[in-house]
Amino acid sequence: CLGGEKKDDSFFRASSTAEIKGESFLSRYGPLIGGIVEAQVGMIMFNIGLTYGFTSIGNQVGNLLPSAFMETPEEPGSPYYSNKTGGIALVLWTMFLLGFLATRAEPALNVVGQTVERLSKGSFKCSLLVYAVCVGVGMGMAVGSTKILFRAGLIFFVFAKYAIAVLLTLFAKEDFINIAWDCAGVTTGPVTVPFVLSTGIGFSKAVRAPEGFGILACASVWPIITVLLTDAFRRLHASYKSDIAGPDEEEEEEEEWHTALEGLVKSLRARPGDVAVAVSGSVALAWICERKVKPRGALNSDIMSSFVMVMRAHPKHADVAEAACFMFTTVAKGGGEMVRDCVIKTGAPLLIVMVLRQFSQHEGPPAEVEGALRRAVDALMVVGLDEASTAGAVRLAGAPAALEAIGQRYPAGSSLSVSAAAAVAAV
């Protein structure tokens, strides 16, 4: 394609066809057929075990549990506990435990947990999500059991649990809102649904309730609530840990930012003629100095020398001038006597005047150089004009004429015009 010639690929196509024709049907499709057969056999065995094992257990458990606190026809010796309140508490705890264990056996839950851990980059562990959902389903089964025990209307349970879920949603983060509400789908898995339904039906028969449905409805929303609560407690714990972080951690973070500053200064001094490095490096350095840490020691003089090197390499580039003056202003502002000495020794004030003179006479549209002039005027105000020698050097370099030209070129009352007038007065 690069040479513009069409290559003859008939040899390769013929070879591939020969290879395909040479393969037997079994060697080509055997693994696919074997996988399908294994999946079908596995699903059949799984459903047989579920129907004759897990579902039957749920039905028997539902029939036997009420014997703890009331007389049932299936258990001649019932009730087993004379204290009805204690018996009901035992039943609710057992229902919680059964819901917890049934959900823990759900195949899809681990897949969801691993996906969430990968997407959250480990901040929300798979085990944390799995056990939050298990607790939610267990609580849902316990609450749903009270609906059958006390013949309560399902509408009250539905309104209450959805009100709690919606209220927690209002204060949660968007990404975990989606995860929490999707976790309700775990209760529709192949393990949880038959077990919960069979347990509820057996339970309702034992207590002679008109119907045994509704437990699954309660169990489907409680995982949303528990996952949202887990995320809220997790964020609260992280906030608490950051509040009590010791001075060692703060010093370590400060050292990391100083290392970043040193790296940026090295890149600026190594490649001052590269426009991309000059602009991005100057802006990044200014951001760190403004938001994170102030440079210390010899790093101040290195930054000022980087400013001089960048400005000398690009005397007529407006974007570089804007970024470099922004960096200069951020470092020089409130830097103290040591920074002021570095400014004077490097000759930075004269370079700033050079920017003002260069772009105040710009022949193109004023908007093209407005950013550079604005940053240069700001930089001029922090070079130490209160010292007679610095102010005299700036005046001799032509700063007043350049500032007056800026005031005439831009509309009166504009922020740049006002700043230029203030700079004239200061000079």
Side-chain angles (χ1 to χ4, degrees):
C1 292
L2 292 174
E5 298 179 1
K6 185 177 180 181
K7 301 296 182 182
D8 184 10
D9 61 346
S10 58
F11 170 78
F12 299 103
R13 286 190 281 107
S15 301
S16 301
T17 306
E19 288 178 4
I20 293 173
K21 287 181 179 178
E23 291 182 3
S24 65
F25 177 84
L26 195 60
S27 63
R28 286 191 66 196
Y29 299 107
L32 175 63
I33 296 172
I36 293 173
V37 171
E38 287 179 356
Q40 288 295 325
V41 172
M43 288 301 296
I44 291 170
M45 294 178 67
F46 177 77
N47 283 317
I48 290 173
L50 201 63
T51 303
Y52 295 101
F54 212 50
T55 306
S56 298
I57 289 174
N59 195 16
Q60 292 174 19
V61 168
N63 282 318
L64 289 174
L65 276 177
S67 304
F69 62 90
M70 65 178 291
E71 184 178 351
T72 58
E74 290 83 2
E75 295 296 319
S78 57
Y80 296 116
Y81 299 96
S82 57
N83 186 354
K84 186 175 181 180
T85 304
I88 292 176
L90 180 62
V91 168
L92 295 180
W93 167 249
T94 306
M95 292 293 284
F96 170 83
L97 194 61
L98 291 172
F100 183 95
L101 295 176
T103 309
R104 188 66 186 86
E106 194 66 58
L109 185 56
N110 279 321
V111 177
V112 174
Q114 291 167 7
T115 305
V116 170
E117 181 174 356
R118 186 176 68 255
L119 295 179
S120 64
K121 298 180 180 178
S123 64
F124 202 111
K125 299 294 183 184
C126 171
S127 58
L128 189 63
L129 180 72
V130 168
Y131 287 114
V133 174
C134 291
V135 169
V137 175
M139 292 176 65
M141 284 192 65
V143 172
S145 303
T146 62
K147 177 257 178 191
I148 297 175
L149 278 175
F150 302 111
R151 313 289 202 278
L154 183 62
I155 190 68
F156 301 108
F157 291 90
V158 171
F159 275 140
K161 64 187 181 180
Y162 273 106
I164 296 172
V166 170
L167 184 64
L168 290 172
T169 301
L170 295 175
F171 300 99
K173 289 187 175 181
E174 181 66 27
D175 47 357
F176 283 101
I177 290 174
N178 302 326
I179 293 169
W181 284 84
D182 282 348
C183 284
V186 173
T187 57
T188 61
V191 175
T192 310
V193 171
F195 180 76
V196 173
L197 287 177
S198 60
T199 304
I201 292 171
F203 198 74
S204 64
K205 289 179 181 177
V207 299
R208 301 177 182 85
E211 47 83 23
F213 297 101
I215 294 183
L216 191 62
C218 294
S220 64
V221 181
W222 276 100
I224 303 172
I225 297 172
T226 52
V227 171
L228 289 174
L229 284 173
T230 301
D231 179 51
F233 285 125
R234 183 185 64 87
R235 287 189 284 114
L236 189 65
H237 177 66
S239 175
Y240 174 73
K241 284 181 66 178
S242 64
D243 288 341
I244 63 171
D248 292 341
E249 295 183 12
E250 294 178 359
E251 290 176 3
E252 185 177 341
E253 182 181 2
E254 187 175 341
E255 285 299 325
E256 290 176 355
W257 285 115
H258 274 289
T259 303
L261 282 177
E262 291 172 357
L264 289 169
V265 170
K266 286 180 181 178
S267 65
L268 287 173
R269 299 181 73 175
R271 300 174 63 186
D274 191 321
V275 174
V277 172
V279 174
S280 60
S282 298
V283 172
L285 197 149
W287 184 87
I288 293 175
C289 293
E290 190 174 46
R291 302 287 184 90
K292 297 299 180 181
V293 291
K294 287 290 184 184
R296 61 193 179 200
L299 193 56
N300 287 288
S301 114
D302 292 340
I303 293 174
M304 290 303 163
S305 63
S306 301
F307 168 78
V308 172
M309 293 172 69
V310 167
M311 289 303 303
R312 286 179 176 171
H314 307 279
K316 298 182 180 181
H317 201 294
D319 291 336
V320 174
E322 182 178 358
C325 288
F326 177 38
M327 173 185 70
F328 176 88
T329 306
T330 307
V331 175
K333 184 169 53 180
E337 290 297 327
M338 183 178 64
V339 176
R340 181 174 291 189
D341 290 341
C342 293
V343 169
I344 296 172
K345 288 178 181 178
T346 55
L350 301 182
L351 289 172
I352 295 170
V353 175
M354 180 191 74
V355 173
L356 293 172
R357 293 178 58 184
Q358 173 71 35
F359 296 114
S360 64
Q361 306 297 328
H362 182 65
E363 295 179 357
E368 290 183 355
V369 295
E370 184 175 356
L373 289 172
R374 189 186 308 278
R375 294 296 183 184
V377 171
D378 293 340
L380 187 65
M381 297 295 288
V382 295
V383 298
L385 295 177
D386 52 338
E387 288 190 1
S389 58
T390 305
V394 167
R395 281 196 300 272
L396 290 174
L403 292 168
E404 289 172 0
I406 293 171
Q408 294 171 2
R409 188 170 190 189
Y410 291 89
S414 64
S415 59
L416 181 54
S417 179
V418 172
S419 299
V424 170
V427 170

